[in-house]
Amino acid sequence: MSAAAPSIADDLRRLATLGATPLGIDRRLFTPSDRAARAQFVAWARADGRRVTQDRAGNVFAQRAGRRAAAPILTGSHLDTVPTGGPYDGAYGAVAALWALRRLDQDAVDTEFPLEAVAWAGEEGSRFPLGCLGSSAFAGLNDLASLEALWDDDGVSFAAARDGVNGLLRGVALRDETRAPSAYVELHIEQGPVLENRGVRLGNVTAIAGQRRFEIEVTGESGHAGTVPMGLRHDALVAAAEIVVALEAEAAANDSVVVTVGRLVVEPNQTNVIPRRVTFRVDARSIDESVLTRIAADVVATAERIGARRGVHVAVASIERRAAVAMDARLRSALAEAFASLGEEALDLPSGAGHDAMCVAAIAPAAMIFVPSAGGRSHVGDEFTSPADLDLGVAALAQALVTIDRRMAKEG
Ligand code: GLV
Ligand code: MN
Ligand code: MN
């Protein structure tokens, strides 16, 4: 009996053991599991004969030579996860980049432009409070010094983590952070239900929603839970709760925005002590920049109004701001041609989730391919995409890289 051919689903299963917990995968940047994932990416790339490099933001690159000494066509995604992540968010696009390059080797396809696979560092912002950390450094949107000064919840700086045992990989050459590619294509699971509901297996992303993130600190007054009458309290948690509910109501009244409070820290967090301080983060997203601008103003006004009425101090800090980004029209047309040449129907759709492509788009034409997510579920342990759809995405990516290369070569 012959063994089954290796598949990308096998590789993703193997990666999913790194950081596995009962709730999903916890592979935050520069932790042992994240380091192991980057080392595995390097091992796979080297086994394919690629030249591998890394930069001081923690991004890892694997290059396949082209006929020209030109800036590469770049493709990949991230290897880190949220603390309860699934096996496909990010990891799929990074590993698929290696599979697509390998497929071109097997088919003896030469390209004019070099092709480069990338595993971006810290896309989720789960350890250090900045999303798309590695790709924003690569695109020059955040300089290295500002990243190095970020701190995690345990008081470890980005620089210390990066320079520690789980940081940069030994034996992998260093390169400059910023080097604009000729083009960028990211393959990712959709993380929503649209493709599955429409029965279409490939998505051609039109635009990525913009994001605003805030940290709100509400400071009230602590006291004894049994002795302070209700009317005399300045409870920081009740004020924060009212702000959260008000923000939900404002978002619910507008179809084109989503607002989430997914992190909240209560101090002193004791059953019999009135909460003195609550720090929480607000994540607002929309494809429409003008809606985001209005929501951002509403977040500040709502928090201050409720704080003033409840006699607590409210401080709102903007911690991240990314504009909505349209995908490059010419690359989208190349993707459409590639999908058609595979005989596959595709759907144009926007992305509500953030992706490294939104940062790379600042320095190069960028596009994204989606494959379906079962039940639209993501950022959860039971995230799932079928092995057949994973394979189709790799085929579509390989074909897209060739189509983009041919088109760009023709343009000179
Ligand atoms: C990344 O997954 C994000 O959209 O926050
Ligand atoms: Mn992702
Ligand atoms: Mn994610």
Side-chain angles (χ1 to χ4, degrees), residues 78 82 89 123-124 191 379:
H78 57 99
V82 293
D89 175 5
E123 188 268 354
E124 298 287 6
Q191 307 181 275
H379 282 185

Side-chain angles (χ1 to χ4, degrees), residues 74-330:
L74 187 63
T75 179
S77 194
H78 57 99
L79 288 176
D80 70 312
T81 68
V82 293
T84 56
Y88 307 96
D89 175 5
Y92 172 48
V95 178
L98 297 176
W99 276 79
L101 269 50
R102 195 179 303 140
R103 195 182 177 103
L104 299 182
D105 292 348
Q106 285 160 357
D107 294 347
V109 175
D110 286 335
T111 55
E112 288 294 321
F113 288 79
L115 302 178
E116 195 162 63
V118 59
W120 298 114
E123 188 268 354
E124 298 287 6
S126 300
R127 179 167 182 190
F128 300 99
L130 181 72
C132 297
L133 190 151
S135 54
S136 72
F138 177 83
L141 299 175
N142 291 103
D143 64 17
L144 204 59
S146 69
L147 301 185
E148 286 172 346
L150 293 172
W151 298 83
D152 71 6
D153 288 343
D154 299 322
V156 179
S157 70
F158 175 87
R162 190 262 325 266
D163 298 337
V165 285
N166 297 312
L168 296 185
L169 298 168
R170 290 230 180 103
V172 176
L174 266 182
R175 60 178 255 179
D176 291 340
E177 282 67 54
T178 307
R179 224 194 276 174
S182 295
Y184 177 69
V185 187
E186 180 165 349
L187 172 60
H188 205 283
I189 56 165
E190 182 202 332
Q191 307 181 275
V194 178
L195 290 175
E196 185 179 70
N197 286 347
R198 295 283 289 269
V200 177
R201 297 172 68 202
L202 291 173
N204 192 341
V205 175
T206 52
I208 302 174
Q211 308 181 3
R212 299 282 190 283
R213 290 185 183 173
F214 300 90
E215 185 160 275
I216 302 185
E217 189 182 84
V218 180
T219 309
E221 200 178 350
S222 247
H224 195 293
T227 60
V228 184
M230 296 308 287
L232 295 182
R233 296 184 179 204
H234 300 288
D235 182 324
L237 178 56
V238 181
E242 190 177 340
I243 296 169
V244 173
V245 172
L247 294 179
E248 187 210 28
E250 283 164 31
N254 187 333
D255 274 352
S256 59
V257 69
V258 286
V259 174
T260 307
V261 174
R263 179 193 154 102
L264 189 139
V265 178
V266 181
E267 295 168 70
N269 209 19
Q270 291 298 316
T271 310
N272 55 354
V273 183
I274 297 166
R276 182 176 70 84
R277 183 162 56 200
V278 173
T279 310
F280 63 101
R281 295 202 186 136
V282 181
D283 174 313
R285 317 230 184 161
S286 178
I287 288 286
D288 185 334
E289 269 302 306
S290 65
V291 170
L292 267 187
T293 304
R294 207 175 58 239
I295 282 287
D298 283 353
V299 167
V300 177
T302 299
E304 287 177 350
R305 175 174 46 79
I306 292 171
R309 182 162 44 72
R310 287 188 165 269
V312 297
H313 181 262
V314 169
V316 182
S318 163
I319 55 170
E320 193 163 341
R321 181 194 170 110
R322 304 227 179 266
V325 175
M327 296 289 92
D328 182 80
R330 295 211 295 191

